């Protein structure tokens, strides 16, 4: 699988599936989640509400992922996942890696060939950027999906993109 680091807005990505850094309510929020619901329109929230009423009555657990339509976005699907809130006292990195692995698995099950990820947990949830990139790239570099041939990590600003590029060089 090819891995790209791009600077940009996740909602503008022309890929089969984009990943949402959601919260367990699936009912929207700020950051990536707010942008996806704003630009994607009400069809996404309608499917999220239906998921809450059926499979996820108590919310989507941290580290898990579920797909909906992408509404008006260029992508075909949104894969919603819930990152862990950063903790200095507890190692929650396995849950963050689960977000990438489970989102990729869901995209693969849908038959997607390209997927774009935001830097999950690195905004409102407070995860240090360098380590967030390290966790993301560790999972993506080891993945061997069946249908997904391109994974894009979308960094919102130039500084985060530069940091991600450095982390990638160190990991290679
Ligand atoms: N495109 C790409 N990246 C973005 C965009 C965008 N449009 N907007 C922000 N980022 P965050 P989290 C970057 O806060 O930390 C919501 O309220 C941002 O700079 O979106 O997982 C949810 O409902 C950061 O690097 O997600 C949850 O309650 C990264 O994307 C909570 O926030 C992730 O920032 C989830 O927090």
């Amino acid at each position: 699988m090819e891995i790209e680091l791009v600077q940009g807005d996740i909602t503008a990505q022309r890929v089969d599936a984009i990943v949402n850094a959601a919260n367990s309510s699936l009912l929207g929020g700020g950051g990536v989640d707010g942008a996806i619901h704003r630009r994607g329109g009400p069809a996404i929230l309608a499917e999220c509400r239906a998921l809450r009423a059926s499979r996820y009555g108590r919310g989507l657990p941290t580290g898990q992922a579920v797909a909906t339509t992408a509404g008006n976005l260029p992508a075909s699907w949104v894969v919603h996942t819930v990152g862990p809130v950063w903790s200095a006292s507890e190692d929650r990195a396995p849950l963050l890696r689960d977000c990438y692995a489970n989102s990729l698995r869901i995209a693969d099950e849908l038959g997607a060939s390209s997927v774009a990820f935001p830097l999950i947990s690195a905004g409102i949830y407070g995860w240090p950027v360098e380590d967030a990139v390290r966790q993301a790239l560790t999972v993506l570099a080891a993945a061997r999906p069946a249908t997904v041939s391109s994974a894009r990590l979308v960094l919102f600003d130039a500084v985060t993109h530069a940091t991600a590029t450095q982390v990638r060089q160190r990991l290679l």
Side-chain angles (χ1 to χ4, degrees):
M1 184 176 70
E2 175 200 28
I3 302 170
E4 281 181 288
L5 302 180
V6 305
Q7 186 193 338
D9 184 327
I10 191 89
T11 63
Q13 303 303 308
R14 297 194 171 274
V15 290
D16 295 328
I18 63 168
V19 174
N20 182 16
N23 61 64
S24 65
S25 81
L26 293 175
L27 300 179
V32 167
D33 199 11
I36 285 175
H37 283 287
R38 219 166 27 247
R39 305 220 178 103
I44 302 174
L45 190 58
E47 262 195 58
C48 285
R49 286 192 201 283
L51 283 165
R52 285 299 308 278
S54 55
R55 282 165 68 187
Y56 297 109
R58 301 172 73 172
L60 181 65
T62 303
Q64 295 194 24
V66 67
T68 65
T69 176
N72 302 325
L73 297 172
S76 299
W77 299 284
V78 174
V79 179
H80 306 263
T81 190
V82 183
V85 175
W86 164 255
S87 165
S89 59
E90 190 188 338
D91 180 15
R92 297 178 179 168
L95 285 169
L96 183 55
R97 291 194 295 271
D98 283 351
C99 289
Y100 288 94
N102 285 324
S103 298
L104 190 58
R105 178 180 50 79
I106 297 278
D108 210 44
E109 286 168 6
L110 289 165
S113 55
S114 52
V115 184
F117 294 86
L119 196 55
I120 300 164
S121 290
I124 292 165
Y125 282 177
W127 205 283
V129 167
E130 277 196 40
D131 194 61
V133 173
R134 200 173 300 123
Q135 302 303 334
L137 293 179
T138 298
V139 175
L140 297 178
R144 298 288 178 267
T147 71
V148 178
S149 58
S150 164
R152 194 177 286 181
L153 189 59
V154 180
L155 296 318
F156 204 28
D157 57 78
V159 172
T160 310
H161 181 260
T163 303
T165 303
Q166 285 169 4
V167 171
R168 183 183 195 168
Q169 282 163 355
R170 284 203 296 271
L171 281 177
L172 288 178

